[in-house]
Structure formats: structure tokens, C-alpha cells
Amino acid sequence: MIDFSKNDNLNKIISDNDIAIIQYGSATCMPCHSIKNRITTWQEDHKDIPTYYISLEENMEIAAQRGILSAPTVEVYIEGRLSIQKSGYFSLDEILDKISAVSEQIK
């Protein structure tokens, strides 16, 4: 998982990839760390799908522009459109299974 920096262009990341996973989190959020680790492990078998971690503390403006109000939040963009957005308590496995299925269809 790539740590998003101020030099990255989120709109370009989303538009340049068939699928992109964006996780918003906080340094003090334990579920955020667990989700980040789980996505990183999942990505080992899905290297063609970029995954980014956006720190809410360091990127408040981006989060505000996108309406992200809580951590953890996971967004999945498919062909440039927001397809999944989950915040708080959610099933990460369900999200990753959907992404895997879509990825196979796109290939």
C-alpha cells in the first residue's frame, strides 16, 4: 500500500487505473492499521491494483473535498467512478472479494 503524499494527484490515480483502492485513516485508529495491513497482504496477489493510504491528519483538505468524515473509510474506484465507499464498521473481506471478481472480468 502506498502512503499518499501531497505530491500525488488523487484524480490522476483514479482516472489512470481500471481499479483503485483508497483508504483514509488516522494514526490513532487501530481498525485503520488492521485494514491497511489486510489490504497490503491482499495486494500481494493483486499487484495490478493500486492501493493508497491517505492520512486524515496530513490530508484534511482532500478528505473534506471528498466528504470523508470518519476513519476508517475505504473507497473503491472502478473505471474512474466511485463504486464502493464504506466507513466505520464494514466487512473488508466482502469488499476485497467484489474487487477480485471485477478485476477478473476486466482482464
Side-chain angles (χ1 to χ4, degrees), residues 25-84:
S26 169
T28 59
C29 168
M30 287 301 114
C32 296
H33 294 287
S34 296
I35 290 170
K36 184 178 181 182
N37 290 337
R38 176 73 177 93
I39 291 174
T40 299
T41 300
W42 176 86
Q43 192 185 26
E44 291 173 8
D45 294 327
H46 301 86
K47 294 185 185 335
D48 57 322
I49 299 175
T51 61
Y52 282 83
Y53 178 84
I54 299 180
S55 166
L56 293 175
E57 292 90 354
E58 296 173 17
N59 299 283
M60 286 185 206
E61 187 176 312
I62 290 172
Q65 289 171 352
R66 297 193 175 269
I68 306 301
L69 303 173
S70 65
T73 295
V74 172
E75 293 184 326
V76 179
Y77 291 86
I78 299 173
E79 296 178 343
R81 293 192 350 236
L82 179 62
S83 298
I84 300 171

Side-chain angles (χ1 to χ4, degrees), residues 17-21 42-43 45-51 76-79 83-84 94-107:
N17 294 284
D18 289 333
I19 300 173
I21 301 172
W42 176 86
Q43 192 185 26
D45 294 327
H46 301 86
K47 294 185 185 335
D48 57 322
I49 299 175
T51 61
V76 179
Y77 291 86
I78 299 173
E79 296 178 343
S83 298
I84 300 171
E94 186 178 302
I95 293 170
L96 296 177
D97 288 346
K98 286 181 183 178
I99 297 167
S100 296
V102 169
S103 176
E104 287 301 316
Q105 291 174 353
I106 291 175
K107 287 182 182 177

